Amino acid sequence: MSAVTAKTATSIGEEARKRQEPLRLAHFDKPPVIDAKLDDEVWKTATVLKDFYQTNPGDNTAPSYPTEALIGYDSNNLYLGFRAKDDPNRVRATVAKRDNVLGTDDHVRILLDTFNDKRRAYVFIFNPFGVQQDGIRIEGSGVDYTVDVVMESKGTLTEDGYVVEVAIPFKSLRYAAGQGKIWGVHVFRSIQRLNNEEDSWMPISRDNASLLNQAGHITGLDGLSGEHTLELIPSITVSENGKRVSSFLPPPTPDFIDPGRLVNEPVKADLGLTAKYGITPNVTVDFALNPDFAQVEADQLVVTTNQRFPIFYPERRPFFLEGKEIFQTPLTVLHTRAIVDPDVAAKLSGKVGKNTFGLMVASDNGPGNFVGDERLNPANERFLDKNASIGILRLKRDIGKENNIGVMATGYSFVERHNYVGGFDGRFRMSDIAALSFQFAGTTSRRFFYEPEVNRNIYRNGNGFGYSATYDASGRNFGFTLLGEGYTKDYRADLGFVSRTNSNFNGTEFRYRSTPNDKKTLVSWNIVSFHHLDYDFQGRMQVWESDATVTWNFQRNQTFWLAYRRGHERLIEEEFGPKRTATQAGAFFGPSSERAADKQHFVAFYSTSQQKYGGSIKAALRQGTFDFDFGGGPKFPRVSPAALLDPDNPLDPGPGTLLDISASTYYQPTPALRLTLDFTKNRLVRDDTKLVAFDENIYSLRGTYQFTRFLAARARIDYSTLESRARAQFLFGWTPNPGTAFYVGYNDDVNRNGFSPITGLFEPGFRRNNRTFFIKLSYLFRFTH
């Protein structure tokens, strides 16, 4: 290291220590008008953060353009002002949908560690038009952007860049209150066109893996309003569903193609209420009575053919998102989408001193909610209209500067299904670059368990155990991760998520990343090598894989990467059905109770990102991918040797070659209009029979027109070639703030030259399966006392 470099590094370190000293915020005598002008007199008294550092691609070097952040407060709000100098003709700014700023627009960002515990922080992001994106950052876990905070912001382009002005009500935050309290703060600015340049008010050391540990600090937040806040959000959803039903029960002849008919159900109105009360600035209670948990927008279509294990879908419902980070643990002991449709739910959560806590209870009518002919089925009689009782407890305590330990317990009780989970977890920061996180959980259940030895479900008690441990070290250029996770055969978490039981997953990852240089054609490159071994609790190997991926990042946000993977997979028949014995046939066809395949994967990826258009494509040829012999619906029956002899033969899994392609492109001709087309292809060909096991192509076309920041029209059409099925959604929405919304929507579902969902027989032409028209209205009322 040269003397100049050493001096520079020393001065940067001194500046970092200086900015970590608490900076007293200015108190505003009167609130500024949030109009993106920053011309109110009170802004002249604001605390100013300036002299930013470029932290990417540069390493605490001079930024391309200067940035200033202004901060002040009064008893009710925290006020933020940003002046971002730039060429206004080159600033990337769109009238984006809320929470859709990152990756497309230039933006400013502030992190507020309101408890100064270096573990959790609010993330507030604003593009040049003031469009908001917000979330919660958990150190070691990334950022969850599903959380929405009520605030006001406006932004505008200026002659020398752009200006953003923000007011964040303190009643929208959880924070440590009282005289002399200190908050952690980071302020960033992102310039997309300059190789995703990121500028930071605090110097960021690449020799420190913790971001919140390197935060600056603010204080002086005295005299805040001590009023308690009650939020009420009543909602109503009015809908009419049309559903295709059979015209003939029973059909006149066995081979009769029943076209069915569309029956419109009576118009239904669902009333709901959610409420939140701030007991203190850091403790809240939430309540929901018959809440409207309907998702306005459907989940993204994914390939489900040939899937052995369940697919994880993220939570989107507002009641469960409040304080969500408190309940998150390394093992997904709680995944609230398992709570289907509660009649009533309540939650108490917060942080007092070093103790974080959460308590949730709910009564879920989802498991006993049968409709139509399901209510007439005698097998459902004992479950009919019964509710599941749910209880969840979470406690966590901070230890030292950046460590914590916690306990988690859940209980689920329904007819013939009872499940209880308890465990403890923790995260310890071992050094500037290394951290250890872990969780151990035990489960006890009274329910039906499938027993492959006797090929039937047995109602019995079952106890299980699950574990997770991760050690991660991430330095300036090098990093590695050691991880392990496993679940015993009888592990059940009815309120959580687990993809596979009786399995251990042990792996290690090694990483190298170059030091970026934005002056060169190749800005940076990195290599990642990942290896894992899966085995059951009887010691039998299930999967091993070893891969290497090299990524090259070029100018203008263009990336290219290659990967190669080798591996071996082993299937054991009792995971698919009965285990063969002297008196019982096994789940697999033939003399062997096992199947094996060598895996080789080749991957290539290319992407580009521009202001008006961009796209990406990933293609992989995955040799040794198992066809589990489930078939792919009427279009693609089973193609194993056993199934070709007799379609009713037992499963005969075997290796094949999978072509896996995913591509996405967008076009944004104006700041208000954005069109996106996504394409996914999965095509698997058996090695032994050379027949296509399935060929799924999914097309998703989405269009959004933002009339204003809060008023938008959206259309989406998804088409699956495997099902010959198209699903369309048209939505008009007004969403001025989280909690207040008005939606008018129409959903349609049709088949074209596909197979009837009623009879399974081929039908030419178009056939509608169902349709829905709905209107949803909710309004946020805030009361203080």
Side-chain angles (χ1 to χ4, degrees):
M1 181 180 290
S2 68
V4 174
T5 304
K7 182 179 179 181
T8 303
T10 300
S11 63
I12 289 173
E14 291 175 351
E15 184 66 19
R17 287 188 289 273
K18 178 182 177 182
R19 295 187 181 190
Q20 284 185 329
E21 292 296 320
L23 185 65
R24 189 168 189 85
L25 290 190
H27 183 275
F28 287 175
D29 295 329
K30 61 179 181 178
V33 177
I34 306 303
D35 55 8
K37 294 182 180 179
L38 297 180
D39 56 356
D40 301 85
E41 269 312 297
V42 293
W43 282 117
K44 296 180 180 179
T45 66
T47 302
V48 181
L49 310 182
K50 58 182 181 179
D51 298 328
F52 280 51
Y53 294 86
Q54 183 185 145
T55 56
N56 182 69
D59 186 5
N60 294 320
T61 59
S64 299
Y65 295 92
T67 306
E68 283 187 353
L70 289 70
I71 309 180
Y73 79 101
D74 60 20
S75 61
N76 296 310
N77 298 290
L78 181 72
Y79 299 102
L80 308 172
F82 301 92
R83 292 192 180 103
K85 303 296 183 181
D86 205 339
D87 179 352
N89 296 318
R90 304 181 70 187
V91 170
R92 293 192 179 181
T94 64
V95 188
K97 176 185 173 185
R98 183 190 174 105
D99 288 337
N100 197 30
V101 172
L102 288 178
T104 58
D105 290 356
D106 292 345
H107 59 268
V108 289
R109 181 168 82 252
I110 185 168
L111 277 66
L112 294 175
D113 181 357
T114 55
F115 292 96
N116 194 34
D117 60 11
K118 303 175 179 63
R119 296 165 175 84
R120 169 193 179 276
Y122 289 99
V123 181
F124 299 111
I125 304 170
F126 310 94
N127 82 350
F129 292 149
V131 178
Q132 304 167 5
Q133 181 162 347
D134 46 5
I136 300 290
R137 179 185 178 90
I138 303 297
E139 198 71 335
S141 300
V143 183
D144 177 9
Y145 289 111
T146 59
V147 178
D148 288 328
V149 173
V150 177
M151 56 185 165
E152 184 180 3
S153 63
K154 289 188 178 179
T156 186
L157 296 176
T158 63
E159 292 181 353
D160 58 354
Y162 64 91
V163 170
V164 174
E165 193 170 13
V166 182
I168 304 175
F170 289 112
K171 58 189 175 185
S172 293
L173 307 176
R174 300 187 187 206
Y175 59 92
Q179 189 170 2
K181 293 295 183 180
I182 297 173
W183 290 11
V185 62
H186 270 300
V187 182
F188 297 95
R189 176 191 177 184
S190 178
I191 308 175
Q192 294 288 312
R193 71 181 186 277
L194 301 178
N195 299 311
N196 292 321
E197 177 179 325
E198 186 163 279
D199 304 329
S200 170
W201 175 65
M202 285 295 297
I204 303 297
S205 172
R206 295 176 181 173
D207 295 314
N208 190 332
S210 172
L211 180 64
L212 299 185
N213 175 266
Q214 303 182 69
H217 296 95
I218 55 176
T219 188
L221 293 163
D222 304 327
L224 302 186
S225 173
E227 295 177 326
H228 299 282
T229 301
L230 173 65
E231 294 184 359
L232 298 176
I233 306 178
S235 65
I236 180 171
T237 301
V238 179
S239 61
E240 183 184 49
N241 297 320
K243 184 177 180 181
R244 185 179 176 190
V245 299
S246 175
S247 300
F248 299 91
L249 289 174
T253 61
D255 58 350
F256 177 73
I257 297 179
D258 183 0
R261 67 186 191 281
L262 195 71
V263 176
N264 290 323
E265 299 175 351
V267 175
K268 181 174 65 174
D270 285 333
L271 296 172
L273 175 69
T274 59
K276 180 170 74 171
Y277 181 70
I279 300 175
T280 67
N282 53 336
V283 177
T284 62
V285 59
D286 295 83
F287 177 78
L289 181 65
N290 191 30
D292 177 13
F293 280 165
Q295 289 184 204
V296 173
E297 297 187 63
D299 292 309
Q300 180 71 37
L301 284 187
V302 296
V303 177
T304 58
T305 307
N306 207 47
Q307 292 286 340
R308 288 179 65 190
F309 307 115
I311 296 173
F312 184 90
Y313 291 98
E315 180 62 84
R316 295 180 178 179
R317 301 171 294 180
F319 173 82
F320 290 122
L321 296 177
E322 170 69 26
K324 172 185 172 183
E325 72 280 359
I326 294 174
F327 298 91
Q328 291 177 327
T329 59
L331 296 175
T332 311
V333 172
L334 177 65
H335 180 43
T336 49
R337 284 192 68 151
I339 306 174
V340 180
D341 187 14
D343 290 327
V344 62
K347 177 169 51 180
L348 176 69
S349 59
K351 182 170 186 176
V352 178
K354 295 185 176 183
N355 301 303
T356 302
F357 61 90
L359 174 65
M360 188 188 312
V361 294
S363 178
D364 185 9
N365 68 26
N369 185 19
F370 297 94
V371 297
D373 293 341
E374 295 174 334
R375 300 184 66 86
L376 305 177
N377 189 339
N380 296 331
E381 185 175 353
R382 62 187 182 280
F383 309 115
L384 200 61
D385 298 326
K386 299 292 195 305
N387 277 30
S389 299
I390 292 164
I392 302 153
L393 174 66
R394 172 63 167 160
L395 300 171
K396 186 167 65 173
R397 180 172 176 82
D398 297 343
I399 299 176
K401 291 184 177 181
E402 298 174 58
N403 312 314
N404 60 262
I405 59 172
V407 296
M408 182 83 168
T410 70
Y412 182 95
S413 183
F414 188 61
V415 180
E416 297 181 352
R417 184 178 166 190
H418 309 277
N419 173 250
Y420 304 94
V421 181
F424 65 95
D425 62 279
R427 185 176 189 271
F428 289 83
R429 191 150 188 247
M430 317 301 288
S431 67
D432 282 350
I433 67 169
L436 171 69
S437 60
F438 63 87
Q439 184 174 15
F440 302 95
T443 73
T444 182
S445 306
R446 179 72 175 170
R447 57 178 295 163
F448 283 98
F449 289 86
Y450 175 73
E451 301 294 346
E453 290 80 9
V454 295
N455 191 27
R456 63 189 178 93
N457 292 311
I458 296 178
Y459 190 69
R460 61 171 176 84
N461 293 324
N463 299 318
F465 173 75
Y467 71 91
S468 173
T470 301
Y471 181 85
D472 183 85
S474 298
R476 174 178 293 270
N477 298 110
F478 293 94
F480 71 92
T481 302
L482 302 174
L483 55 93
E485 185 174 307
Y487 307 88
T488 61
K489 177 184 175 183
D490 285 351
Y491 179 95
R492 298 292 186 274
D494 286 351
L495 292 174
F497 181 87
V498 59
S499 60
R500 187 177 191 178
T501 58
N502 193 25
S503 182
N504 298 272
F505 176 93
N506 298 153
T508 182
E509 180 181 271
F510 300 95
R511 304 178 296 274
Y512 174 80
R513 59 181 178 181
S514 69
T515 299
N517 187 336
D518 62 346
K519 306 302 182 184
K520 293 185 177 181
T521 301
L522 178 61
V523 177
S524 65
W525 65 276
N526 63 278
I527 183 169
V528 177
S529 182
F530 182 70
H531 318 268
H532 73 94
L533 173 67
D534 301 5
Y535 53 94
D536 65 21
F537 280 82
Q538 290 74 47
R540 298 174 295 189
M541 190 276 292
Q542 296 169 325
V543 180
W544 73 261
E545 288 183 328
S546 186
D547 66 36
T549 302
V550 184
T551 305
W552 297 270
N553 301 305
F554 298 95
Q555 292 285 341
R556 301 183 67 183
N557 300 329
Q558 298 187 60
T559 300
F560 177 73
W561 58 267
L562 291 174
Y564 177 70
R565 177 180 297 167
R566 286 298 305 269
H568 185 81
E569 185 170 8
R570 178 187 184 192
L571 304 182
I572 302 171
E573 68 179 359
E574 56 257 42
E575 286 196 275
F576 291 79
K579 179 179 180 180
R580 64 185 64 200
T581 64
T583 59
Q584 175 179 273
F588 288 171
F589 177 83
S592 176
S593 62
E594 297 183 8
R595 299 290 189 273
D598 290 321
K599 303 164 72 69
Q600 300 181 37
H601 297 170
F602 302 83
V603 183
F605 178 82
Y606 174 81
S607 72
T608 182
S609 179
Q610 302 294 332
Q611 171 71 27
K612 291 188 175 182
Y613 57 87
S616 65
I617 182 169
K618 180 177 70 175
L621 187 65
R622 306 180 188 272
Q623 297 173 308
T625 298
F626 262 111
D627 167 32
F628 297 123
D629 206 21
F630 302 146
K635 273 191 174 182
F636 295 96
R638 295 169 54 202
V639 295
S640 64
L644 296 181
L645 293 173
D646 182 354
D648 296 325
N649 267 334
L651 297 177
D652 188 9
T657 299
L658 177 70
L659 176 61
D660 181 0
I661 300 175
S662 59
S664 179
T665 184
Y666 69 85
Y667 177 56
Q668 183 135 10
T670 71
L673 176 63
R674 183 179 179 88
L675 301 173
T676 303
L677 176 63
D678 296 326
F679 170 69
T680 301
K681 182 181 184 66
N682 268 207
R683 184 177 189 269
L684 180 61
V685 179
R686 289 274 301 216
D687 289 345
D688 45 18
T689 64
K690 306 302 180 184
L691 296 176
V692 178
F694 66 89
D695 187 1
E696 168 71 296
N697 300 272
I698 297 175
Y699 301 85
S700 296
L701 176 63
R702 289 168 292 172
T704 300
Y705 191 88
Q706 294 281 155
F707 299 97
T708 68
R709 282 175 51 193
F710 310 123
L711 190 65
R714 294 197 285 274
R716 172 177 165 180
I717 300 175
D718 299 306
Y719 181 72
S720 164
T721 61
L722 187 68
E723 298 177 294
S724 299
R725 185 177 181 184
R727 275 156 281 199
Q729 182 178 73
F730 305 94
L731 186 69
F732 178 84
W734 175 67
T735 53
N737 62 59
T740 299
F742 175 72
Y743 292 104
V744 178
Y746 175 76
N747 299 337
D748 212 338
D749 185 339
V750 300
N751 277 84
R752 178 183 177 275
N753 294 333
F755 290 83
S756 167
I758 300 174
T759 65
L761 299 176
F762 178 80
E763 296 179 332
F766 285 93
R767 293 290 190 275
R768 174 173 280 113
N769 299 315
N770 55 68
R771 65 184 178 191
T772 302
F773 176 79
F774 67 91
I775 299 174
K776 176 179 177 179
L777 173 65
S778 63
Y779 192 84
L780 169 64
F781 295 93
R782 273 187 163 180
F783 306 95
T784 57
H785 67 89

